[in-house]
Amino acid sequence: MQDDDTTHGPLAGFTVGVTAARRAEELATLLKRRGAAVQHAPALRIVPLADDSELLDATKELIDHAPDVVVATTAIGFRGWVEAADGWGIGDALLERLRGVELLARGPKVKGSVRAAGLTEAWSPGSESLAEVLDRLLAEGVAGRRIAVQLHGEPLPGFIESLQAAGAEIVGVPVYRWMPPQDIAPLDRLLDATAARALDAITFTSAPAAASFLGRAEERGLLPEVLGALRDEVLAACVGPVTALPLQARAIPTVQPERFRLGPLVQLVCAQLPTRARVLPVAGHRVEIRGHAVLVDDELRAVPPAGMALLRTLARRPGWVVARADLLRALPGSGTDEHAVETAMARLRSALGAPKLIQTVVKRGYRLSLDPAGDTSGAL
């Protein structure tokens, strides 16, 4: 997915954070192909199935005491469950037990894993909606029935509670568990970048990762800054509505694709971020201000952080003179020497490749040379 200028992609000039533990490399590659700079920090790690005693205990319990219904919720989780049972020497017993129960698969991918195991699902929704599975179970009647639900590290909001309220006995099958990352430093760096608004978007592919991200921010005393950034400047892009719940609970606006897949998630980010850029007609040029770069007449120009801070400050009041003192306050780690503004401004002009974009107003400050009747659309 490229824009008209094939020298850069739709995400050129933007920085995107990736919090995924699983399939992170795939997601990062998709984003980089579209021009994004990517900062990866797994917010969680996954406990290997074969090492998980809780799964072993739950599997033995189901083999010994047959449930009435088994709900398979993820393809990788179901496949891993069967493989783990094989490793424990109880794979055949598990499959035999599953053949004798009502097996519901949430969507086509899960159905594929069920059939790959030599089983046949009793029913599967076409939409991959857990809500449809719930509606079917409640319509059948679940009072007094024992229902095993494959958990996949994420909360299943309302699903288990609704079944229990209707009289079902629920047996959770924890096919894998989320734990804090072994190396917390990358996550801390991602949180620092978020708080500093040095990111343009963060992608979330699981609810536990979103919850862990916010939890770590709270532990470090950064939660107010992180929440402020996510509510204002940093786009929170989630793979689906369940993933978005921990963020929405903190009043963070989120976006999700219609299809809950990595490809549509990347396409959504490609559609959203360019619309958040500031576009201005300046000194006869089209200037589009992105996260860490500027498009000048569709030519991508990398700009250092100090220069971007100055440019954003000027663009908040395009055409108006901004005093050196105000620009000094905008510089990262600003001191008291206004000469720092002159140095950063010289580098900014050089980076933009069009010195006349910014006009020096003697003894007053600087201004963007906004064209008459200039369009000041966009946000900063």
Side-chain angles (χ1 to χ4, degrees), residues 189-199 222 225-226 229 233-234 332:
R189 287 193 292 270
L190 189 67
L191 286 166
D192 291 338
T194 305
R197 305 180 188 223
L199 299 175
L222 281 177
E225 293 88 345
V226 168
E233 292 183 26
V234 182

Side-chain angles (χ1 to χ4, degrees), residues 183-233:
D183 182 5
I184 203 73
L187 180 57
D188 284 346
R189 287 193 292 270
L190 189 67
L191 286 166
D192 291 338
T194 305
R197 305 180 188 223
L199 299 175
D200 300 292
I202 305 181
T203 58
F204 296 95
T205 55
S206 74
S212 176
F213 180 85
L214 296 175
R216 180 61 180 168
E218 193 162 22
E219 286 176 16
R220 295 186 56 212
L222 281 177
L223 189 60
E225 293 88 345
V226 168
L227 291 178
L230 289 170
R231 289 169 183 165
D232 183 14
E233 292 183 26

